[in-house]
Amino acid sequence: MLTEINFDGIIGPSHNYAGLSLGNIASANNAGSVSEPRAAALQGVAKMRANIALGLAQGFFMPLDRPNTGWLQSLATDVASAEPHLRAASFSASSMWAANAATVSPAPDTADGRCHLTVANLMTMPHRSHEWTGTLAQLKLAFADERHFVVHGPVPAPFGDEGAANHMRLCERHDSTGVEIFVYGKAGGPFPARQHVEAGKAIARRHGLAADRTLFIQQSETAIAAGAFHNDVVAVANESVLFTHEQAFEDRDGAYAAVRAAFPAVQIVEVPASAVSLADAIKSYLFNAQLVTLPDGGQALVLPSESQEVPAVWQWLEAMVAGNGPIRRLVPVNVRQSMANGGGPACLRLRLVADPATVDPRFIATPGKLDAIEQVIAAHWPERIAPGDLADPALAETVRAARRALLDALDLSALA
């Protein structure tokens, strides 16, 4: 049976705060801080466990091999002699944000009736530009059944693609035909627009999407300039609900009209700027939440606990769930280590509609597997990493050994 599965990226043992992501306010504000990889990874596992307790299907992806010595070699350097910014980029644990792993079109939307995934090229940011090869290998393993899945390589340069973080889907039910929305940027003041419209168009063609059920909507330049480096910082969709900030799209009225024309059943839940400013929305990551359908058919927001700490945000949310709208439950979660690097609950997961039985079972979470993951993390993940530690050869070996231990525990040594 087709169902939505959320695949979370396990936060890797090299998680650190090097401040590499231009346009990501949290990343910049916490650059140079001491990270806590062990706590970060355990917070991520706790979120997965909480989602299972809600009755949701849950999967996971492995951290990538770090430091990426092959990438450094292609730049004619190595970990010991690389300039600090390149060394930091080679250690980046940003693949934990699985929303940037790929863009996914489920079988009901595609011409051949299979689920299509296009791995994101992430070419805009150097520290993420070398992720796609490792991510592609993992996607090909997890979704190897060609009767049900097609896994595509990246869209070529110069068209930047940052995956599902800039993609939304509206449908009556997850297993029904939907309308896919590709959000792209053109400019963002001092910050780059990371998603190119041509990347979205290429993915739509690859996936065999119907033109009348495919939209291309421009992200607000104001939102990008304020720190909404991906659409999922200011908007999220689930089934028939579009939950969005008033300033998410460049042409708000035109965007809403296009969505209503393509999917008349849409329920647009808009947060007005007069109630929640863009600054507060980005500070709280209120939209970087998992908008999910619970087993009883109701919808809930799995959102960062930081949302409770911004009065305007929490007051608006409490009023929303007290009303008669489609979103009826708030589920705060603690992912503070990820949040400090600019990634909330939605960043940490890639949504995929499929029959769980068609996915490689090694990537499907169960309470027992999460217990095993927690044990490996507690035993092998570094407790703390300061930026200067990246130059220590011992840290590189610790990080590699930790990942190997996790792969061995989950019978995924093929990814070593």
Side-chain angles (χ1 to χ4, degrees):
M1 184 178 71
L2 295 181
T3 188
E4 180 176 83
I5 313 168
N6 284 276
F7 289 84
D8 280 37
I10 295 173
I11 298 174
S14 66
H15 162 65
N16 69 93
Y17 298 131
L20 299 174
S21 188
L22 180 64
N24 179 331
I25 303 300
S27 172
N29 288 345
N30 291 292
S33 298
V34 176
S35 67
E36 298 179 7
R38 188 181 305 166
L42 292 174
Q43 288 170 5
V45 174
K47 180 175 86 73
M48 287 191 271
R49 197 182 295 279
N51 283 350
I52 291 175
L54 289 173
L56 305 175
Q58 182 69 54
F60 51 75
F61 294 134
M62 295 293 98
L64 299 183
D65 186 22
R66 295 294 179 263
N68 189 340
T69 54
W71 180 69
L72 289 176
Q73 287 171 4
S74 72
L75 297 169
T77 189
D78 55 30
V79 175
S81 57
E83 294 177 76
H85 67 285
L86 290 179
R87 182 186 299 116
S90 77
F91 269 94
S92 173
S94 294
S95 66
M96 65 188 187
W97 295 312
N100 304 121
T103 301
V104 182
S105 297
D109 296 355
T110 66
D112 67 3
R114 294 185 289 175
C115 178
H116 285 246
L117 303 91
T118 290
V119 69
N121 62 34
L122 296 170
M123 59 170 285
T124 305
M125 295 292 149
H127 69 289
R128 304 211 65 179
S129 65
H130 56 98
E131 285 180 19
W132 72 265
T133 53
T135 299
L136 181 60
Q138 192 158 190
L139 295 177
K140 285 186 172 181
L141 185 61
F143 309 111
D145 188 339
E146 294 183 355
R147 295 170 300 174
H148 302 284
F149 300 102
V150 183
V151 179
H152 301 272
V155 172
F159 305 122
D161 171 32
E162 306 244 331
N166 296 306
H167 174 262
M168 300 183 292
R169 180 174 184 258
L170 293 166
C171 53
E172 293 286 354
R173 301 179 318 277
H174 290 138
D175 63 353
S176 60
T177 301
V179 170
E180 300 199 18
I181 303 171
F182 294 82
V183 181
Y184 64 93
K186 284 188 175 180
F191 302 136
R194 303 188 186 189
Q195 187 75 27
H196 200 289
V197 65
E198 294 299 337
K201 291 178 180 179
I203 292 167
R205 290 191 294 268
R206 285 179 171 185
H207 292 190
L209 304 182
D212 62 344
R213 291 188 282 107
T214 306
L215 300 176
F216 302 93
I217 294 176
Q218 184 183 347
Q219 186 178 2
S220 163
E221 294 184 13
T222 300
I224 298 173
F229 53 99
H230 293 136
N231 173 69
D232 67 2
V233 179
V234 285
V236 61
N238 180 57
E239 294 191 326
S240 64
V241 178
L242 172 59
F243 180 51
T244 179
H245 192 272
E246 180 183 2
Q247 296 174 287
F249 308 116
E250 184 66 19
D251 176 5
R252 169 186 173 273
D253 294 343
Y256 290 177
V259 169
R260 289 188 174 108
F263 189 73
V266 66
Q267 302 176 76
I268 299 176
V269 179
E270 182 186 82
V271 181
S274 60
V276 175
S277 67
L278 264 180
D280 278 350
I282 292 166
K283 179 182 179 181
S284 66
Y285 264 36
L286 120 87
F287 296 99
N288 198 248
Q290 292 179 251
L291 182 56
V292 297
T293 302
L294 301 176
D296 65 4
Q299 296 206 21
L301 271 181
V302 179
L303 72 174
S305 55
E306 283 83 350
S307 294
Q308 296 172 294
E309 299 165 8
V310 181
V313 168
W314 196 247
Q315 289 167 14
W316 197 93
L317 288 169
E318 287 190 313
M320 176 187 70
V321 297
N324 294 317
I327 304 172
R328 306 308 298 271
R329 184 173 175 185
L330 305 175
V331 185
V333 293
N334 174 14
V335 287
R336 289 184 181 273
Q337 281 286 308
S338 175
M339 282 286 289
N341 236 352
C347 282
L348 286 164
R349 64 90 177 96
L350 180 69
R351 309 167 78 171
L352 187 142
V353 173
D355 183 343
T358 63
V359 178
D360 188 314
R362 291 174 292 181
F363 292 90
I364 299 295
T366 64
K369 284 184 187 176
L370 295 182
D371 288 343
I373 292 169
E374 284 180 331
Q375 291 170 8
V376 173
I377 291 167
H380 296 279
W381 260 233
E383 189 172 359
R384 293 179 178 83
I385 296 178
D389 296 337
L390 301 182
D392 183 353
L395 177 63
E397 183 50 41
T398 295
V399 166
R400 292 192 187 101
R403 179 174 179 270
R404 286 196 298 269
L406 183 63
L407 295 178
D408 289 345
L410 296 173
D411 190 27
L412 285 168
S413 57
L415 295 172

